[in-house]
Amino acid sequence: RPVHVAPFALASSVVTNADYLVFVEEGGYRRRELWSQAGWEWRESVAVLAPRQWHKSDGVWAAQRFDAPEPLAPEDPVIQVNAYEAEAYCRFLGRRLPTEAEWEFAARADHAPKADRFPWGGAIAPPGVVNLDGAYGGPVPAAALPGSDTRRGLRQMIGNVWEWTSTDFAPYPGFEPGPYQEYSEPWFHTHRVLRGGSFATRARLVHSRWRNFYTPERRDIFAGIRPARSL
């Protein structure tokens, strides 16, 4: 289907723990002006001041990794933040979340129609080039794995962490439910689209057109943030 995409810019990599820590330490969770109405209502209801797995002890931040805390890795992507947190952080920067169409446009740009299945081209990347299938046992630094770049230098658009968009999950024109009707139709207009896949995603599953969807308050997803801005 044709979609008009106005000029925009997309960050070359996802937001790191170090980036997000600035937002936390400068009171981002207490600044009402950074949050949408729904986002602020969620924040007030849960009274959080940091991402789900972050904890501060004796002035030092750590992140829970499975059953044990680890020092916060500054270059790793911030992870397990929800859509409301992602939106507030983007406003803190003077940016916004990309739309689903913008994200896909950036992932497929500069490729021929049959060579745009992945951000780097038409073929599945060799093991180790992207962070899928648990290849590294968790997230890697946001600047790692240059072999995953798009032709315009956007890194890790597939793998490492899912990326929130600003788009509500809704059917494309002409949608008809398949035999597994419970898969997508019940979640239209209540969930938010994510793109890209995480370190735990199967490589055989994800590609530049793949849509994932969760409700915007979920913080248990391996999801991060790639800011955008209009031009």
Side-chain angles (χ1 to χ4, degrees), residues 1-6 99-102 104-105 108 167 172-173:
R1 63 179 181 132
V3 177
H4 175 73
V5 178
T99 66
E100 179 180 20
E102 288 172 335
E104 185 174 317
F105 182 96
R108 297 172 57 192
T167 302
Y172 288 156

Side-chain angles (χ1 to χ4, degrees), residues 143-168:
L145 306 179
S148 67
D149 283 7
T150 69
R151 291 189 175 182
R152 301 195 184 199
L154 305 182
R155 188 153 298 177
Q156 297 179 14
M157 291 197 74
I158 285 185
N160 216 22
V161 295
W162 287 101
E163 300 178 18
W164 286 106
T165 75
S166 63
T167 302
D168 288 337

Side-chain angles (χ1 to χ4, degrees), residues 16-32:
T16 66
N17 286 326
D19 296 330
Y20 200 85
L21 181 58
V22 176
F23 171 73
V24 172
E25 302 240 309
E26 293 193 11
Y29 281 81
R30 293 186 173 93
R31 292 173 56 180
R32 172 64 183 88

Side-chain angles (χ1 to χ4, degrees), residues 4-16:
H4 175 73
V5 178
F8 70 100
L10 196 59
S12 59
S13 62
V14 293
V15 172
T16 66

Side-chain angles (χ1 to χ4, degrees), residues 192-212:
R192 186 79 65 85
V193 174
L194 300 95
R195 290 295 194 110
S198 78
F199 63 87
T201 304
R202 289 295 188 185
R204 68 177 181 267
L205 177 71
V206 73
H207 50 78
S208 294
R209 296 174 177 83
W210 181 258
R211 310 174 84 195
N212 196 359

Side-chain angles (χ1 to χ4, degrees), residues 24 44 73 82 95 108 114 119 128 136 138 148 159 162 191 217 222:
V24 172
E44 290 280 89
N82 67 23
R95 299 291 187 262
R108 297 172 57 192
K114 293 186 178 180
Y136 294 91
S148 67
W162 287 101
H191 288 49
E217 80 282 356
F222 298 138

